[in-house]
Amino acid sequence: MTHVLDRPAWNALASVHASLAEGSPLARRYPPSIVPFAAAADDTPESLEALASLASGPEVLALVEARPIIVPPELETVLEASLVQMIAKNPFERLDDARIELLGENDAEDMLALATLTKPGPFTLRAQQLGKFWGIRMHGRLVAMAGQRMRQPGFAELSGLCTHPDFQGQGLGKIMLRFVAGEISASGDTVYLHSYSSNVGAIALYRAIGFTVRSDMHFRLVRRAGQP
């Protein structure tokens, strides 16, 4: 039996994030201005053709699945990687830290700048449409942040975790991780996250604070074949 998190994008777009979904019952995607995640309903030729039709021009679709990903012939792979999906073993306690503030629309450009610098994963100016984000500012600069991305009934993905290189080594990433995990747990959802399998340091940190590997995951960035 498959788990709802085996197909996180499809199950988010078919439930909690259905209001954001573009596409049809055969394939869905988030608006590209928010995040590039997409998924076909299944591996039938009709669903794969519908998935391919969601990509236009040079834009990419991000696919993440527990099972091997079948790419329709109309699309080509730009990036392929192995991920691990980790889930909280127990609910996290809420963390009280006066430095942490809820981020809003006025912070969007600073958030994008920090994400562009540190590359925590796909991030856009409209990322806050997916869920709340929090951050730490020092001397007026946004130096650390984390928030929520895909959501399914009973689950919320912790994402966008990053720390400015000038402020790394001060434990800010761990603080943001624990804080956002606590906020998700307080809402009644179970926290999960994704990490590149090669990022052994991050995986060790996640294990140390209460996450366990739930599944290996496949990840691909794809686009229309023949794009420059």
Side-chain angles (χ1 to χ4, degrees):
M1 181 179 295
T2 60
H3 190 282
V4 67
L5 296 183
D6 287 346
R7 310 195 65 221
W10 176 261
N11 289 318
L13 289 164
S15 59
V16 180
H17 283 162
S19 63
L20 297 174
E22 296 181 349
S24 71
L26 294 177
R28 297 187 174 108
R29 69 168 298 167
Y30 285 95
S33 61
I34 297 178
V35 74
F37 285 101
D42 50 42
D43 292 338
T44 63
E46 295 80 10
S47 294
L48 293 175
E49 182 178 353
L51 176 65
S53 72
L54 295 178
S56 61
E59 68 185 20
V60 297
L61 300 177
L63 313 177
V64 58
E65 306 270 351
R67 64 190 184 188
I69 296 171
I70 298 176
V71 177
E74 299 89 346
L75 303 179
E76 63 182 3
T77 298
V78 178
L79 172 69
E80 183 174 6
S82 296
L83 309 179
V84 292
Q85 185 184 85
M86 305 186 74
I87 194 167
K89 291 185 288 187
N90 298 293
F92 280 81
E93 295 291 332
R94 262 185 157 157
L95 179 65
D96 185 19
D97 191 314
R99 297 172 297 175
I100 299 175
E101 60 184 74
L102 180 65
L103 300 175
E105 291 184 7
N106 292 337
D107 302 297
E109 290 189 2
D110 289 345
M111 295 166 66
L112 180 60
L114 181 58
T116 301
L117 179 65
T118 57
K119 297 178 173 55
F123 200 89
T124 69
L125 283 171
R126 297 184 61 203
Q128 294 175 73
Q129 297 291 313
L130 300 175
K132 294 180 179 179
F133 277 78
W134 293 265
I136 295 175
R137 288 187 178 274
M138 291 187 178
H139 311 297
R141 300 169 63 189
L142 182 64
V143 300
M145 71 172 182
Q148 302 173 55
R149 191 165 62 184
M150 291 185 283
R151 296 175 61 197
Q152 303 79 14
F155 298 91
E157 181 191 18
L158 192 155
S159 186
L161 177 66
C162 52
T163 303
H164 193 286
D166 293 347
F167 295 85
Q168 291 178 0
Q170 300 180 30
L172 299 181
K174 184 177 181 180
I175 290 169
M176 290 306 309
L177 177 62
R178 291 184 56 220
F179 179 88
V180 176
E183 294 300 303
I184 292 173
S185 293
S187 74
D189 288 336
T190 297
V191 192
Y192 74 99
L193 53 80
H194 293 101
S195 174
Y196 286 109
S197 301
S198 59
N199 196 346
V200 294
I203 293 171
L205 169 63
Y206 302 149
R207 287 185 186 276
I209 68 169
F211 286 88
T212 186
V213 173
R214 195 202 71 82
S215 178
D216 294 321
M217 304 291 285
H218 300 271
F219 177 74
R220 289 197 186 211
L221 286 179
V222 299
R223 66 180 178 184
R224 297 293 298 186
Q227 290 295 319

